[in-house]
Amino acid sequence: MTTELLDRIQSPADLKPLDRRELKLLADELRGFVLESVSRTGGHLSSNLGTVELAIALHHVFDTPHDRIIWDVGHQSYPHKILTGRRAQMGTLRQQGGISGFPRRDESPYDAFGTAHSSTSISAALGMAVASRNAGVARQHIAVIGDGAMSAGMAFEAMNNAGVTPDINLLVVLNDNDMSISPPVGALNRYLARLMSGRFYAAARNVGRAVLQHVPPMLELARRFEEHAKGMVTPATLFEELGFNYVGPIDGHDLDALVPTLQNLSKLSGPQFLHVVTRKGQGYKLAEADPVLYHGPGKFDPAVGIQQAKAPARRTFTQVFGQWLCDMAQEDERLIGITPAMREGSGMVEFEQRFPRRYFDVGIAEQHAVTFAAGIACEGYKPVVAIYSTFLQRGYDQLIHDVALQDLDVTFALDRAGIVGADGATHAGNYDIAYLRCIPNMVVAAPSDENEARLLLSACYRHRGPASVRYPRGAGCGAEVQPGLADVPVGKAVLRRQGRRIAVLGFGTLVQAALGAADQLDLTVADMRFVKPLDHELVLALAASHDALVTVEEGCVMGGAGSAVAELLNAQGLSVPLLQLGLPDRFIDHGDQAALLAGLGLDAAGIAASIRARYAELLTAKAA
């Protein structure tokens, strides 16, 4: 693949002198480079192939990083990264010590705002626009929002605020990649987009308003005529009512439409809204045909495409949940499955196919998902909300006030709990134990393996009231999953190994690492199963029969499961030595899951080393 033009682009300044023909050639080279690069490292592909021309046009027209561009959702920003001096680092994408798969302020001055949780761009851009206005700094603020992010209420809250904020420079670019480019999105719409984004149109509209303001009936007639004239070919009315000047839709792969439209919009003040239509996977036929498959692939050969992998020897926790959900739905017609735009990621594809009337994807709207489930529970149904741990953070108020306060029967299946690997800190589920266990009425379960996951899902589903089951990304230890829908008593732990002097209380999948450490040091190991309610009886029995306790969890130490044990010991007036092992008080960056856990001392060797360091005298006395 030749990259003659791309080789010359060291920063967006190198885009400025390129003519339209060269920009189109650059787009071809950039798209080829994105495909080749992601095929070697893995990462988000479909969405980035769709934003090549948009990234080029934005950096060609605007003066970045003085002008601020915010990419939302951030996984569509690879072309932006390449054009802003990080091409040579793309080989380290999402790897430990390498660049992030999302925009990060500490990675580049061109990354104006960190985005990985969606729908934040308009709020952030509006804040920047107000700050620039108040400081007397002339700059543009562009929020590129797409990939379903407009389904979140936060985006509309920001637009509602922006529409009545005076004297700001704000451009919202809706990257619409869910609809095909139909015939109307062609020459006529290109012409209208250029016309409506031009100064002449804006001036004519303002003059008309000034002339007609003294004749209210005529002004209202003119306003309605304008809305209907634009509405015949554009969905403008909603955004116009929010105070934005709507432009589009235009073809987001047509630089002859994008560049002049953006140039015109860059000269206008006030809230502007540009609707561009792109295609996920653009330019790579396999990704165009199946953008979901190519959304976030691992390494693959672009000439061959993604090959159907052999069934893994070990099932993932997501697969265990998906099968359990179908089995429980078959038994209980009251079960309703809900996900906020994570059907594939949460393992709900088969459930949707088998129970379409009981499946609800509410879009990227976590707050709504939680309260929607609460409403369903009010009427006697049993909703199961399948949601990533990190995304439930966005529905926390609803979790407390709409579910727990009313003690409603909602089950939360929390995928991606703990370290997640390549997606890094923004997607890591490190805080759910701490933020859930403080909520009254909430049950918090943490299965140690795949079979335990099925058991605890059934137990929490049958529990009357709010309950959650947290499990990590990927496969477990390979435990055989027993068929059926058996459960276990809520709040009861199980002893996995009897040792001497020191007892380890394991929460979640780190029980396996704790067993490995216990074999080296002859320790007792309990699989606690539940963080809340905690098995007080077993904890106090182990405290009485051992010289020291250790807690192990793949979650933050502060406020976590170890803190629950410490609170119990303190309440009982016990002074048993307690070592709390878990995630430190810092954000964990991207990298390989196993390597990250080992680096944090949460593999078998690390757990054993920490116990030796803290309880050396006890271990020595045991050996003697």
Side-chain angles (χ1 to χ4, degrees):
M1 182 185 71
T2 60
T3 55
E4 180 181 349
L5 275 171
L6 186 58
D7 292 342
R8 291 159 45 188
I9 308 301
Q10 304 302 315
S11 76
D14 298 322
L15 291 169
K16 304 298 183 185
L18 299 184
D19 60 28
R20 203 73 54 77
R21 182 189 64 84
E22 291 173 314
L23 291 176
K24 293 175 184 177
L25 293 174
L26 175 64
D28 292 338
E29 293 183 7
L30 179 55
R31 178 166 283 109
F33 182 82
V34 168
L35 175 60
E36 183 180 322
S37 178
V38 174
S39 71
R40 291 198 302 265
T41 62
H44 294 99
L45 181 63
S46 297
S47 55
N48 285 291
L49 293 177
T51 58
V52 167
E53 288 82 5
L54 184 55
I56 289 173
L58 286 168
H59 283 295
H60 175 72
V61 171
F62 293 99
D63 180 22
T64 55
H66 175 76
D67 292 332
R68 313 299 198 206
I69 300 178
I70 302 173
W71 293 88
D72 176 1
V73 176
H75 65 227
Q76 60 176 336
S77 64
Y78 295 3
H80 155 81
K81 285 177 178 274
I82 294 165
L83 295 173
T84 54
R86 285 166 279 181
R87 178 186 171 189
Q89 297 169 273
M90 287 297 289
T92 69
L93 184 74
R94 294 157 43 96
Q95 299 169 33
Q96 195 163 1
I99 62 173
S100 171
F102 304 95
R104 286 179 52 158
R105 283 171 53 83
D106 61 0
E107 186 178 289
S108 169
Y110 291 95
D111 290 357
F113 197 77
T115 51
H117 284 199
S118 78
S119 316
T120 59
S121 60
I122 304 175
S123 297
L126 175 58
M128 293 175 183
V130 168
S132 296
R133 180 200 66 186
N134 290 0
V137 178
R139 64 162 53 99
Q140 297 292 331
H141 310 84
I142 304 99
V144 184
I145 183 166
D147 206 30
M150 281 297 291
S151 66
M154 186 175 177
F156 289 93
E157 292 171 17
M159 292 185 67
N160 184 56
N161 186 190
V164 295
T165 304
D167 304 323
I168 56 169
N169 292 326
L170 174 65
L171 169 60
V172 175
V173 179
L174 172 59
N175 176 25
D176 181 351
N177 51 28
D178 286 329
M179 57 180 285
S180 61
I181 301 173
S182 52
V185 185
L188 175 61
N189 272 269
R190 181 192 301 177
Y191 167 75
L192 288 174
R194 294 179 65 174
L195 175 65
M196 289 188 291
S197 67
R199 282 178 165 173
F200 174 79
Y201 175 84
R205 183 171 54 182
N206 291 335
V207 169
R209 286 173 177 166
V211 171
L212 296 175
Q213 65 181 339
H214 302 296
V215 191
M218 293 299 295
L219 176 61
E220 179 63 16
L221 178 64
R223 185 187 67 80
R224 291 185 178 182
F225 176 80
E226 178 188 37
E227 285 187 0
H228 286 291
K230 294 171 70 174
M232 286 189 294
V233 290
T234 68
T237 305
L238 171 63
F239 302 109
E240 293 277 4
E241 290 296 332
L242 288 170
F244 282 73
N245 174 44
Y246 175 91
V247 176
I250 64 173
D251 186 344
H253 302 297
D254 183 354
L255 286 164
D256 289 328
L258 276 174
V259 170
T261 301
L262 288 171
Q263 287 172 335
N264 284 336
L265 289 169
S266 71
K267 300 168 187 174
L268 300 180
S269 61
Q272 308 293 323
F273 191 98
L274 175 61
H275 183 174
V276 302
V277 178
T278 62
R279 184 173 187 177
K280 281 190 172 183
Q282 174 73 12
Y284 183 50
K285 296 300 183 183
L286 295 174
E288 289 179 10
D290 194 346
V292 173
L293 178 64
Y294 287 86
H295 170 72
K299 300 176 183 180
F300 70 98
D301 182 352
V304 177
I306 298 174
Q307 299 300 295
Q308 191 68 34
K310 295 181 180 179
R314 296 181 296 170
R315 277 192 279 182
T316 66
F317 283 95
T318 302
Q319 291 170 330
V320 171
F321 164 74
Q323 187 60 58
W324 170 85
L325 187 67
C326 290
D327 293 346
M328 185 60 79
Q330 187 68 41
E331 177 181 277
D332 189 349
E333 293 184 353
R334 297 174 299 163
L335 187 151
I336 302 290
I338 302 168
T339 182
M342 298 307 297
R343 183 190 65 167
E344 288 81 13
S346 293
M348 298 182 73
V349 174
E350 182 182 351
F351 178 81
E352 181 198 17
Q353 294 169 348
R354 291 178 57 185
F355 307 97
R357 289 180 58 82
R358 294 156 65 185
Y359 166 81
F360 295 90
D361 182 346
V362 302
I364 302 177
E366 294 86 358
Q367 293 171 300
H368 165 61
V370 175
T371 303
F372 174 58
I376 288 174
C378 283
E379 300 303 323
Y381 284 85
K382 291 181 65 67
V384 176
V385 181
I387 187 170
Y388 289 8
S389 167
T390 183
F391 295 150
L392 183 57
Q393 294 164 185
R394 311 189 86 185
Y396 192 58
D397 180 69
Q398 290 70 26
L399 180 64
I400 294 174
H401 285 270
D402 299 337
V403 176
L405 185 62
Q406 303 183 91
D407 200 18
L408 292 174
D409 199 357
V410 180
T411 303
F412 295 89
L414 305 186
D415 206 323
R416 271 61 167 182
I419 298 296
V420 294
D423 282 336
T426 57
H427 284 59
N430 296 350
Y431 310 107
D432 55 79
I433 291 177
Y435 73 65
L436 288 174
R437 60 173 288 263
C438 63
I439 302 174
N441 298 329
M442 178 63 70
V443 170
V444 183
S448 57
D449 61 37
E450 301 92 323
N451 191 57
E452 285 286 313
R454 189 172 174 98
L455 291 170
L456 296 185
L457 282 164
S458 294
C460 286
Y461 179 78
R462 292 182 177 129
H463 169 77
R464 293 179 63 88
S468 60
V469 183
R470 73 183 308 262
Y471 45 89
R473 181 176 191 169
C477 62
E480 182 179 355
V481 180
Q482 299 297 321
L485 293 167
D487 57 27
V488 298
V490 171
K492 286 299 179 182
V494 60
L495 207 61
R496 297 294 185 195
R497 187 186 192 280
Q498 185 63 56
R500 301 176 59 193
R501 306 295 299 267
I502 300 170
V504 181
L505 312 180
F507 297 85
T509 52
L510 290 189
V511 166
Q512 310 305 324
L515 287 168
D519 287 341
Q520 301 177 41
L521 304 176
D522 193 17
L523 311 175
T524 295
V525 177
D527 179 351
M528 295 305 297
R529 283 181 168 164
F530 293 90
V531 177
K532 185 182 181 182
L534 192 66
D535 190 338
H536 289 195
E537 183 180 352
L538 179 62
V539 172
L540 295 177
L542 292 175
S545 59
H546 291 75
D547 296 316
L549 300 179
V550 180
T551 60
V552 180
E553 61 192 296
E554 193 175 338
C556 61
V557 169
M558 297 180 71
S563 295
V565 172
E567 290 162 12
L568 172 62
L569 297 175
N570 182 61
Q572 296 294 318
L574 301 177
S575 57
V576 180
L578 174 65
L579 171 61
Q580 296 171 235
L581 300 179
L583 301 179
D585 185 25
R586 61 180 174 85
F587 293 111
I588 311 300
D589 221 335
H590 49 270
D592 177 77
Q593 280 178 274
L596 289 172
L597 286 171
L600 294 166
L602 293 176
D603 59 351
I607 292 170
S610 294
I611 293 172
R612 286 193 187 97
R614 174 65 65 87
Y615 298 129
E617 292 184 6
L618 287 177
L619 293 170
T620 302
K622 176 183 76 68

